[in-house]
Amino acid sequence: MDEIVYTKAGPTKTMAPRNANSTEEIILSEPMDVVDNLTVVYDGLIDAIEGKAPLKITPMQAKRAIQVMEAAFVSSETSSAVNVEI
């Protein structure tokens, strides 16, 4: 039942279950210096509210990001380019 399909990359058995002898499981550990991005943003926001540090993301930066996202949605819906003053 295993049908061999020839592609540009060579022969392959598409959607076929792999033979246990042909695979190897490698467990990767997460690097120690990885920090959740949202934690960094919220910690920075708390520091700004408490007056310990300036905002890491300014209101103007947030507004610009939202304008770009809104323009992307309009562009997708209309299948055309959208001009945005940012």
Side-chain angles (χ1 to χ4, degrees), residues 4 22 69 79:
I4 297 177
S22 70
M69 288 186 286
S79 298

Side-chain angles (χ1 to χ4, degrees), residues 54-66:
L55 283 169
K56 292 182 181 182
I57 301 170
T58 67
M60 290 305 295
Q61 290 170 326
K63 180 181 176 186
R64 181 178 182 191
I66 292 169

Side-chain angles (χ1 to χ4, degrees), residues 55-85:
L55 283 169
K56 292 182 181 182
I57 301 170
T58 67
M60 290 305 295
Q61 290 170 326
K63 180 181 176 186
R64 181 178 182 191
I66 292 169
Q67 287 176 315
V68 170
M69 288 186 286
E70 288 175 341
F73 286 126
V74 171
S75 176
S76 175
E77 291 169 0
T78 61
S79 298
S80 63
V82 175
N83 291 324
V84 181
E85 289 187 34

Side-chain angles (χ1 to χ4, degrees), residues 2-23:
D2 293 338
E3 181 180 345
I4 297 177
V5 177
Y6 291 89
T7 67
K8 288 183 181 180
T12 182
K13 295 181 182 180
T14 59
M15 302 300 289
R18 296 285 305 262
N19 181 331
N21 299 356
S22 70
T23 62

Side-chain angles (χ1 to χ4, degrees), residues 35-46 56:
V35 178
D36 180 10
N37 289 337
L38 285 178
T39 301
V40 172
V41 171
Y42 288 127
D43 287 347
L45 178 60
I46 291 168
K56 292 182 181 182

